[in-house]
Amino acid sequence: MTDPDQASTAETEAASEAEATPEATTPDATRRQTPGGGVRPTADSIDPAAPEEFGLVQAWWGDGKGKTTASLGMAFRAAGHGYRVHVLQFLKGGADSVEGVRGEYNAIAAVPGISYENTGHYGWHGLLDGSDDDEHRAKARGALARAEEILAGAADADLTEPLDPDGDPAEGVHLLVLDEVLYAVDQGLLDEADVLDLVAEKPEHLELVLTGSHTEPTYLLDAADLVTEVRKAKHPFDEGIRARKGTEY
């Protein structure tokens, strides 16, 4: 039989412990202290805004599918927050294996604050598809010059403030994707020093994303903040399945 005095003492101690437990240790209170505040994510309207934590350099390389896809995912995510984004594509001027219009271009045109340029020469360098290697080199150098122009514009802009979603990328962007620029280095169309110069020219608050290359860009290991290898375990191309509409273009 329980002693009434002992039961009373246990109840008092339990009550005291409950009172001493800070609200922050409860699950709901903990969630309220996170960036999401315990609120389930929802879609919202897109209004021009400025990022608070941009300014890193990312490099995506490897022999697997997904480098451009990952960079475009980040681009759309940033644009969804109202940040100004531009995608500058090297070496993607079109090829006989894909149609002339790509799904990402249609989607970019429908989303405010994100734009793209395709500066590549038709065909693919080094694949003996009839395209001229000198023209590929000239196009790559032209894309490099355009990237330098956009970086200079970002340096002159106030990237801590919202930017015109329809403005010229050379007037400032918060995030710049240089798609396939690392592959241009692989192919000898650009030099490693060219890419390192772009990184050095990057203003403090600009997020710079570099993609491409089947070879590890070791020259970027000290200069970049994030280096991700996209490794192929298996690819439908190896079975003769060509680029598919909606997945590769």
Side-chain angles (χ1 to χ4, degrees):
M1 187 171 183
T2 304
D3 186 327
D5 291 336
Q6 289 179 341
S8 176
T9 300
E11 291 172 358
T12 301
E13 291 176 350
S16 298
E17 288 179 3
E19 291 175 1
T21 300
E23 184 186 4
T25 61
T26 66
D28 287 343
T30 299
R31 282 194 292 271
R32 285 196 292 272
Q33 294 179 23
T34 64
V39 179
R40 185 180 298 277
T42 59
D44 201 352
S45 60
I46 300 176
D47 299 311
E52 297 180 0
E53 299 177 308
F54 274 17
L56 302 184
V57 177
Q58 303 185 32
W60 292 74
W61 73 281
D63 63 354
K65 167 181 166 58
K67 300 179 288 296
T68 295
T69 303
S71 67
L72 287 174
M74 285 187 288
F76 278 108
R77 178 177 288 159
H81 286 295
Y83 308 154
R84 183 68 177 92
V85 180
H86 190 64
V87 180
L88 179 61
Q89 292 193 310
F90 293 63
L91 306 181
K92 283 186 175 174
D96 293 342
S97 60
V98 298
E99 296 180 16
V101 176
R102 296 177 186 164
E104 59 263 39
Y105 298 168
N106 297 339
I108 286 172
V111 176
I114 179 171
S115 54
Y116 76 92
E117 288 177 74
N118 186 313
T119 60
H121 183 51
Y122 194 86
W124 195 257
H125 180 265
L127 289 190
L128 302 178
D129 55 7
S131 57
D132 185 271
D133 285 356
D134 288 339
E135 285 294 327
H136 281 292
R137 185 170 291 103
K139 291 286 188 178
R141 300 303 303 184
L144 177 67
R146 177 60 171 163
E148 291 170 342
E149 180 182 10
I150 295 172
L151 287 173
D156 291 337
D158 185 355
L159 302 186
T160 65
E161 294 293 332
L163 298 172
D164 182 354
D166 299 317
D168 187 326
E171 296 176 354
V173 295
H174 296 116
L175 187 151
L176 176 61
V177 177
L178 300 182
D179 187 37
E180 303 293 4
V181 64
L182 303 182
Y183 195 79
V185 174
D186 272 5
Q187 294 294 94
L189 304 177
L190 298 177
D191 297 327
E192 294 177 0
D194 293 325
V195 176
L196 290 173
D197 287 345
L198 292 176
V199 173
E201 293 168 14
K202 184 193 76 66
E204 179 182 2
H205 297 291
L206 173 71
E207 190 85 3
L208 182 63
V209 180
L210 314 168
T211 80
S213 181
H214 286 187
T215 303
E216 183 179 10
T218 54
Y219 57 94
L220 280 173
L221 291 179
D222 291 332
D225 300 284
L226 178 150
V227 179
T228 295
E229 178 186 2
V230 180
R231 186 175 63 85
K232 181 185 75 171
K234 187 177 182 180
H235 202 301
F237 284 4
D238 297 334
E239 303 299 324
I241 300 174
R242 303 185 76 183
R244 294 175 298 146
K245 188 174 183 176
T247 59
E248 279 75 47
Y249 67 92

